[in-house]
Amino acid sequence: MSTRRGEIMKELGLQRWRLRGRPTRGDAPPAAAVAKAEAATEAELPLDGRAAQILRMDWPQLKDSVAGCVACPLHKGRTKTVFGVGDEHASWLFVGEGPGAEEDLRGEPFVGQAGKLLDNMLAAIHLKRGKDVYIANIVKCRPPGNRAPEPLEAAQCEPYLQRQIELIKPKLIVALGKVAAVNLLRREASIASLRGKLHDYRGIPLIVTYHPAYLLRNLPGKAEAWVDLCFAVDTMRGLKNKPAAAT
Ligand code: SF4
């Protein structure tokens, strides 16, 4: 193991894991779940005028719109909006919950301790922020006290993320934490029931793992997150090897 890789695995608390090594039987996600994608169950909400407008925007229009957005109460406490960062044609999209204090100051997602861990998680599967990877959040303004976004706030912000996803066209979405997962999938569920399964977001495969901020407080969760990352890597490999559909 190279020194750098050793450091990364140490940071993750995962020295005994290897990317190429499959999870052991006890660690594997439920077999039936892995094989089959789950469709989101709830019907899509009708678009109001604002959402319809956002869903026609290009990247510059979208960035301008977010920068000046006052569509929900979160705008009152923000320092900067946190639009998202990365490769605008990325295969991988990682979605978190919302900006924290440092993200609010810098206008970039995942730049604090949780961000450092996310970068290490990416490095452990040979990915890098900005290189075939895009990182975004459910809401683009910081919820006060780092609370979870309220349903109204998430709903008002949703068209922005939806449009970002339409423009990026990722092959795979990784939802970081329950808040990201339930908002993207539009159904309430425990993170335990969502992990280890291939879900579907508007035709794009979606995998759920823990939020890095949770992993900072919960060491056993890191081993489970590693299982999720291996699952994501295997899924992406399958997606990239899949023959293009005949036109
Ligand atoms: Fe607008 Fe989203 Fe910020 Fe709310 S969180 S003000 S909807 S950009």
Side-chain angles (χ1 to χ4, degrees), residues 6-41:
E7 283 169 6
I8 290 164
M9 301 309 272
K10 191 176 171 195
E11 175 64 31
L12 283 168
L14 296 171
Q15 290 95 325
R16 72 191 181 89
W17 295 96
R18 301 287 186 278
L19 176 58
R20 299 292 167 197
R22 298 293 175 134
T24 58
R25 181 175 293 185
D27 297 320
V34 174
K36 200 174 170 185
E38 280 188 356
T41 50

Short mmCIF file of all heavy atoms in Angstrom, two decimals, residues 6-41:
data_model
loop_
_atom_site.label_atom_id
_atom_site.label_comp_id
_atom_site.label_asym_id
_atom_site.label_seq_id
_atom_site.Cartn_x
_atom_site.Cartn_y
_atom_site.Cartn_z
N GLY A 6 -2.16 4.59 2.16
CA GLY A 6 -2.21 4.16 3.55
C GLY A 6 -2.79 5.24 4.44
O GLY A 6 -3.60 4.97 5.32
N GLU A 7 -2.39 6.49 4.15
CA GLU A 7 -2.91 7.61 4.95
C GLU A 7 -4.43 7.75 4.77
O GLU A 7 -5.16 8.00 5.72
CB GLU A 7 -2.25 8.92 4.48
CG GLU A 7 -0.84 9.09 5.00
CD GLU A 7 -0.15 10.25 4.31
OE1 GLU A 7 -0.82 10.97 3.52
OE2 GLU A 7 1.04 10.42 4.55
N ILE A 8 -4.85 7.58 3.50
CA ILE A 8 -6.28 7.71 3.22
C ILE A 8 -7.06 6.64 3.98
O ILE A 8 -8.06 6.92 4.63
CB ILE A 8 -6.55 7.56 1.71
CG1 ILE A 8 -6.00 8.79 0.97
CG2 ILE A 8 -8.03 7.40 1.43
CD1 ILE A 8 -5.86 8.58 -0.51
N MET A 9 -6.59 5.40 3.89
CA MET A 9 -7.31 4.31 4.54
C MET A 9 -7.28 4.48 6.06
O MET A 9 -8.24 4.17 6.75
CB MET A 9 -6.71 2.96 4.14
CG MET A 9 -6.74 2.70 2.64
SD MET A 9 -8.36 2.95 1.92
CE MET A 9 -9.06 1.32 2.16
N LYS A 10 -6.16 5.05 6.56
CA LYS A 10 -6.08 5.30 7.99
C LYS A 10 -7.12 6.35 8.38
O LYS A 10 -7.82 6.24 9.38
CB LYS A 10 -4.67 5.77 8.35
CG LYS A 10 -4.41 5.82 9.83
CD LYS A 10 -2.97 6.19 10.09
CE LYS A 10 -2.79 6.46 11.57
NZ LYS A 10 -1.54 7.15 11.86
N GLU A 11 -7.21 7.39 7.56
CA GLU A 11 -8.17 8.47 7.83
C GLU A 11 -9.59 7.91 7.87
O GLU A 11 -10.40 8.29 8.70
CB GLU A 11 -8.06 9.53 6.73
CG GLU A 11 -9.09 10.63 6.81
CD GLU A 11 -8.96 11.47 8.07
OE1 GLU A 11 -7.84 11.64 8.59
OE2 GLU A 11 -10.00 11.93 8.55
N LEU A 12 -9.85 6.98 6.97
CA LEU A 12 -11.18 6.38 6.94
C LEU A 12 -11.35 5.33 8.04
O LEU A 12 -12.45 4.87 8.27
CB LEU A 12 -11.43 5.69 5.58
CG LEU A 12 -11.75 6.63 4.42
CD1 LEU A 12 -11.66 5.89 3.11
CD2 LEU A 12 -13.13 7.22 4.58
N GLY A 13 -10.26 4.97 8.67
CA GLY A 13 -10.34 3.89 9.66
C GLY A 13 -10.58 2.56 9.00
O GLY A 13 -11.23 1.67 9.54
N LEU A 14 -10.05 2.39 7.79
CA LEU A 14 -10.39 1.23 6.97
C LEU A 14 -9.15 0.49 6.49
O LEU A 14 -9.12 -0.04 5.39
CB LEU A 14 -11.18 1.69 5.72
CG LEU A 14 -12.52 2.34 6.02
CD1 LEU A 14 -13.09 2.94 4.74
CD2 LEU A 14 -13.49 1.32 6.58
N GLN A 15 -8.14 0.44 7.33
CA GLN A 15 -6.88 -0.13 6.85
C GLN A 15 -7.05 -1.54 6.34
O GLN A 15 -6.32 -2.00 5.48
CB GLN A 15 -5.83 -0.14 7.97
CG GLN A 15 -5.33 1.26 8.32
CD GLN A 15 -6.07 1.84 9.48
OE1 GLN A 15 -7.28 1.62 9.63
NE2 GLN A 15 -5.40 2.60 10.31
N ARG A 16 -8.02 -2.28 6.86
CA ARG A 16 -8.13 -3.67 6.44
C ARG A 16 -8.90 -3.82 5.16
O ARG A 16 -9.01 -4.90 4.61
CB ARG A 16 -8.72 -4.53 7.56
CG ARG A 16 -10.19 -4.32 7.81
CD ARG A 16 -10.61 -5.03 9.09
NE ARG A 16 -12.03 -4.87 9.35
CZ ARG A 16 -12.96 -5.68 8.91
NH1 ARG A 16 -12.65 -6.68 8.15
NH2 ARG A 16 -14.23 -5.47 9.20
N TRP A 17 -9.47 -2.74 4.63
CA TRP A 17 -10.23 -2.83 3.40
C TRP A 17 -9.36 -2.54 2.20
O TRP A 17 -8.41 -1.78 2.28
CB TRP A 17 -11.40 -1.84 3.40
CG TRP A 17 -12.39 -2.14 4.45
CD1 TRP A 17 -12.46 -1.59 5.69
CD2 TRP A 17 -13.46 -3.07 4.38
NE1 TRP A 17 -13.49 -2.11 6.39
CE2 TRP A 17 -14.12 -3.02 5.62
CE3 TRP A 17 -13.91 -3.95 3.38
CZ2 TRP A 17 -15.22 -3.82 5.89
CZ3 TRP A 17 -15.00 -4.73 3.65
CH2 TRP A 17 -15.64 -4.67 4.89
N ARG A 18 -9.68 -3.12 1.10
CA ARG A 18 -9.01 -2.84 -0.17
C ARG A 18 -10.08 -2.67 -1.21
O ARG A 18 -11.08 -3.38 -1.22
CB ARG A 18 -8.11 -4.01 -0.61
CG ARG A 18 -7.04 -4.37 0.38
CD ARG A 18 -5.91 -3.33 0.39
NE ARG A 18 -4.84 -3.75 1.24
CZ ARG A 18 -4.84 -3.60 2.56
NH1 ARG A 18 -5.86 -3.04 3.17
NH2 ARG A 18 -3.82 -4.02 3.27
N LEU A 19 -9.85 -1.72 -2.14
CA LEU A 19 -10.84 -1.49 -3.18
C LEU A 19 -11.13 -2.73 -3.98
O LEU A 19 -12.27 -3.06 -4.28
CB LEU A 19 -10.37 -0.37 -4.12
CG LEU A 19 -11.27 -0.08 -5.31
CD1 LEU A 19 -12.67 0.30 -4.81
CD2 LEU A 19 -10.71 1.02 -6.17
N ARG A 20 -10.07 -3.46 -4.33
CA ARG A 20 -10.28 -4.64 -5.18
C ARG A 20 -10.89 -5.79 -4.41
O ARG A 20 -11.43 -6.70 -4.99
CB ARG A 20 -8.96 -5.08 -5.80
CG ARG A 20 -8.33 -4.03 -6.68
CD ARG A 20 -9.15 -3.82 -7.92
NE ARG A 20 -8.72 -2.61 -8.59
CZ ARG A 20 -9.43 -1.98 -9.51
NH1 ARG A 20 -10.62 -2.40 -9.84
NH2 ARG A 20 -8.97 -0.91 -10.09
N GLY A 21 -10.75 -5.77 -3.09
CA GLY A 21 -11.28 -6.87 -2.30
C GLY A 21 -12.78 -6.73 -2.14
O GLY A 21 -13.27 -5.68 -1.78
N ARG A 22 -13.48 -7.78 -2.43
CA ARG A 22 -14.93 -7.76 -2.26
C ARG A 22 -15.25 -7.77 -0.78
O ARG A 22 -14.54 -8.37 0.01
CB ARG A 22 -15.55 -9.00 -2.90
CG ARG A 22 -15.32 -9.07 -4.39
CD ARG A 22 -16.07 -7.95 -5.03
NE ARG A 22 -15.79 -7.89 -6.44
CZ ARG A 22 -16.75 -7.75 -7.34
NH1 ARG A 22 -17.99 -7.65 -6.98
NH2 ARG A 22 -16.45 -7.66 -8.60
N PRO A 23 -16.40 -7.19 -0.39
CA PRO A 23 -16.84 -7.33 0.99
C PRO A 23 -17.01 -8.80 1.33
O PRO A 23 -17.37 -9.59 0.46
CB PRO A 23 -18.20 -6.62 1.00
CG PRO A 23 -18.20 -5.74 -0.20
CD PRO A 23 -17.30 -6.40 -1.20
N THR A 24 -16.72 -9.15 2.57
CA THR A 24 -16.95 -10.53 2.97
C THR A 24 -18.44 -10.77 3.07
O THR A 24 -19.24 -9.83 3.07
CB THR A 24 -16.31 -10.79 4.34
OG1 THR A 24 -16.88 -9.87 5.26
CG2 THR A 24 -14.80 -10.60 4.28
N ARG A 25 -18.81 -12.05 3.19
CA ARG A 25 -20.22 -12.38 3.13
C ARG A 25 -21.05 -11.59 4.13
O ARG A 25 -22.10 -11.07 3.82
CB ARG A 25 -20.40 -13.89 3.36
CG ARG A 25 -21.83 -14.34 3.28
CD ARG A 25 -21.94 -15.82 3.39
NE ARG A 25 -21.35 -16.47 2.24
CZ ARG A 25 -21.40 -17.78 2.03
NH1 ARG A 25 -21.97 -18.56 2.90
NH2 ARG A 25 -20.86 -18.31 0.97
N GLY A 26 -20.53 -11.49 5.32
CA GLY A 26 -21.27 -10.78 6.36
C GLY A 26 -21.44 -9.30 6.08
O GLY A 26 -22.33 -8.67 6.60
N ASP A 27 -20.57 -8.76 5.23
CA ASP A 27 -20.62 -7.32 4.96
C ASP A 27 -21.42 -6.98 3.71
O ASP A 27 -21.66 -5.83 3.43
CB ASP A 27 -19.20 -6.77 4.76
CG ASP A 27 -18.38 -6.92 6.02
OD1 ASP A 27 -18.94 -6.70 7.10
OD2 ASP A 27 -17.20 -7.29 5.91
N ALA A 28 -21.78 -7.98 2.94
CA ALA A 28 -22.39 -7.71 1.64
C ALA A 28 -23.77 -7.11 1.79
O ALA A 28 -24.51 -7.44 2.70
CB ALA A 28 -22.50 -9.01 0.85
N PRO A 29 -24.14 -6.20 0.86
CA PRO A 29 -25.50 -5.70 0.86
C PRO A 29 -26.47 -6.81 0.50
O PRO A 29 -26.05 -7.80 -0.11
CB PRO A 29 -25.49 -4.61 -0.20
CG PRO A 29 -24.18 -4.66 -0.87
CD PRO A 29 -23.32 -5.66 -0.20
N PRO A 30 -27.74 -6.69 0.86
CA PRO A 30 -28.70 -7.74 0.55
C PRO A 30 -28.67 -8.07 -0.94
O PRO A 30 -28.77 -7.19 -1.77
CB PRO A 30 -30.04 -7.12 0.96
CG PRO A 30 -29.68 -6.04 1.92
CD PRO A 30 -28.32 -5.56 1.54
N ALA A 31 -28.50 -9.39 -1.24
CA ALA A 31 -28.30 -9.80 -2.63
C ALA A 31 -29.46 -9.40 -3.52
O ALA A 31 -29.26 -8.89 -4.63
CB ALA A 31 -28.11 -11.31 -2.68
N ALA A 32 -30.68 -9.59 -3.02
CA ALA A 32 -31.84 -9.28 -3.86
C ALA A 32 -31.86 -7.79 -4.17
O ALA A 32 -32.23 -7.37 -5.27
CB ALA A 32 -33.11 -9.67 -3.14
N ALA A 33 -31.41 -7.03 -3.20
CA ALA A 33 -31.46 -5.58 -3.38
C ALA A 33 -30.46 -5.11 -4.42
O ALA A 33 -30.71 -4.19 -5.17
CB ALA A 33 -31.18 -4.91 -2.06
N VAL A 34 -29.29 -5.75 -4.44
CA VAL A 34 -28.25 -5.32 -5.34
C VAL A 34 -28.67 -5.55 -6.79
O VAL A 34 -28.37 -4.75 -7.67
CB VAL A 34 -26.94 -6.09 -5.05
CG1 VAL A 34 -25.88 -5.76 -6.08
CG2 VAL A 34 -26.44 -5.76 -3.67
N ALA A 35 -29.36 -6.62 -7.01
CA ALA A 35 -29.66 -7.01 -8.38
C ALA A 35 -30.68 -6.11 -9.06
O ALA A 35 -30.72 -5.98 -10.26
CB ALA A 35 -30.15 -8.45 -8.40
N LYS A 36 -31.49 -5.46 -8.27
CA LYS A 36 -32.64 -4.82 -8.88
C LYS A 36 -32.78 -3.36 -8.47
O LYS A 36 -32.63 -3.01 -7.33
CB LYS A 36 -33.88 -5.59 -8.39
CG LYS A 36 -35.09 -5.39 -9.25
CD LYS A 36 -36.20 -6.30 -8.76
CE LYS A 36 -37.49 -5.97 -9.43
NZ LYS A 36 -38.60 -6.74 -8.91
N ALA A 37 -33.02 -2.50 -9.42
CA ALA A 37 -33.24 -1.09 -9.09
C ALA A 37 -34.64 -0.90 -8.56
O ALA A 37 -35.58 -1.56 -8.98
CB ALA A 37 -33.05 -0.24 -10.33
N GLU A 38 -34.75 0.04 -7.61
CA GLU A 38 -36.07 0.37 -7.08
C GLU A 38 -36.53 1.69 -7.66
O GLU A 38 -35.80 2.66 -7.63
CB GLU A 38 -35.99 0.54 -5.56
CG GLU A 38 -35.98 -0.75 -4.82
CD GLU A 38 -36.10 -0.47 -3.33
OE1 GLU A 38 -36.10 0.71 -2.94
OE2 GLU A 38 -36.23 -1.43 -2.59
N ALA A 39 -37.70 1.73 -8.15
CA ALA A 39 -38.22 2.99 -8.67
C ALA A 39 -38.75 3.82 -7.52
O ALA A 39 -39.23 3.30 -6.53
CB ALA A 39 -39.33 2.72 -9.66
N ALA A 40 -38.61 5.13 -7.60
CA ALA A 40 -39.23 5.99 -6.60
C ALA A 40 -40.73 5.82 -6.70
O ALA A 40 -41.28 5.65 -7.79
CB ALA A 40 -38.84 7.44 -6.85
N THR A 41 -41.40 5.83 -5.56
CA THR A 41 -42.80 5.46 -5.56
C THR A 41 -43.76 6.64 -5.70
O THR A 41 -44.85 6.50 -6.21
CB THR A 41 -43.15 4.69 -4.28
OG1 THR A 41 -42.67 5.44 -3.18
CG2 THR A 41 -42.50 3.32 -4.28
#
